[in-house]
Amino acid sequence: MSELRDAYPLFVGGEWRSGEDGASAVSIDPSTGEEVARVTDGTGDDVAAAVDAAAAAAPGWAAVPWAERAAALTTLAARIEEDAESFAGLDVVDAGMPIRGSRRDVANACTYLRYFAGLASELKGQSIDVPGTSLDLTLREPFGVVGRIVPFNHPLQFAAAAIAAPLAAGNTVVLKPAEQTPISALHLAELAAEVLPAGAVNVVSGGATAGSALVRHPLVRRIGFTGSVRTGSAVLCEAADLIKVVSLELGGKNPLIVLPDVDPEQAAELATIGMNLQRTAGQSCGSTSRVYLHDEVHDQVLERIVERFEQLELGDPRKETTDVGPLAYAAHAERVRAAIVAAGEEGAELRTGGPEAPEGTRGGCFVQPTVIAGVEDSMEVARQEIFGPVVSILRWSDEADVLARANALELGLTANVATNDLSAALRFARGLEAGYVWVNGRGQRPFGAPFGGWKLSGLGEENSLGELLSYTRTKNVNLSGLA
Ligand code: NAD
């Protein structure tokens, strides 16, 4: 059973292993501020030990036929499901995710493993037509050791997604979860060791020191990073020395553009669901946190968004009825509160929520679902990713103008347009500079639909066949007879 423990070593080479210098940190329950467990603050030496274990396991795992690798990942998904409620409980305590949302993350974790297991038969090359007695073909080969680094907002789901494609492609993995929420990834590694060879999945907890050591390690030729633009940029620079292959899933400040033909109730629903408040308290890269309401419907839609935000139950993530839990850690909650205060100082209007801790939640990292209206594109609240339960409301009246405003930021992760007008939907879908565009989207991201940011929001794609193939490198083999 994946029950919480008091202390967590690292998981390396198929077993629990103490950190090289005994450095430890404390994981905090963000709904109470109390200590959950002691965790290891991984060092460069710890990362080196994990990479050694992964490198030792790599040739054997690459030699396992793809169908057997796929079967192992499917078994791992089934084992997680058997223990689903315990797994869901881990992220409730360690990340503050409401229990209903956490169950969905567990289900998604299993689907990621099954999805990439199902694609494993696509790991094949091509033959190139050559006249005469030659033959030219390509092979897809794994990199060996893959380094994956993930953020704090979907701890188990991201850990499972991070190992799924690299393992299916025949690589072994060293995973570094976020320092704020490492526990479910460590439990996942322990379970993985029951169905995969020792060293196939290694987890080193810790922060920037461990992350940077993983990126710089010479045996790690492929890095998959999910996190902020700032860290992603640092990762890309550090990986440049050894010309490593890097994919980056980074931040967003995503627009939702509401056209005047939309029913205000439906528009408010899209705006509320689009913030991903109910799973992550708005700590979601895909949240549509810049909402552009057409002049003709602005007031009606805004009023209903405020109503919907006020209906959400904020509180203990263990309670079945809770909609919105705390943010994942205290310093982040402080940053979000400061952004709300700064928006007021810039002249925006606080319509509901605000920076004060809600009644009865002292000691926790709670921030009220907050609607800020009268926002201008030049304000920081419209320019910076807040990564919390804060939505900015802006006005528009001219289509070309709003499209230019939506595209003006250097970020380009997701975008949503709400309309019943098919022609307008297509114009916006074509015109929006983002890697993932919804028309009347409710945050859905079907498996197989490629996800990846444009501009500063990322490099590469995930959640697709493209992701699986990106964990292989192409080798061309040209064969000729001597006769
Ligand atoms: P972050 O960049 O601070 O940290 C992400 C991870 O990087 C953590 O594991 C952290 O320990 C590690 N790290 C820190 N410094 C490092 C370094 N120098 N070298 C290597 N690793 C290092 O991000 P965060 O605050 O944890 O997460 C929030 C950000 O993640 C937001 O910007 C959000 O939009 C983004 N995000 C993007 C996606 C996506 O799919 N595009 C998904 C989730 C979150």
Side-chain angles (χ1 to χ4, degrees), residues 16 31 48 55 62 65 101 136 156-157 166 172-173 227 232 281 318 333 336 348 361 373 394 424 441 445 458:
W16 294 105
S31 61
D136 199 286
L156 178 72
Q157 178 181 316
T172 55
V173 182
R318 295 163 184 79
V336 172
T361 62
L394 303 95
R445 282 177 42 200

Side-chain angles (χ1 to χ4, degrees), residues 67 109 142 194 247 272 315 332 396:
E194 295 178 16
S247 54
T272 309
H332 182 52
W396 71 279

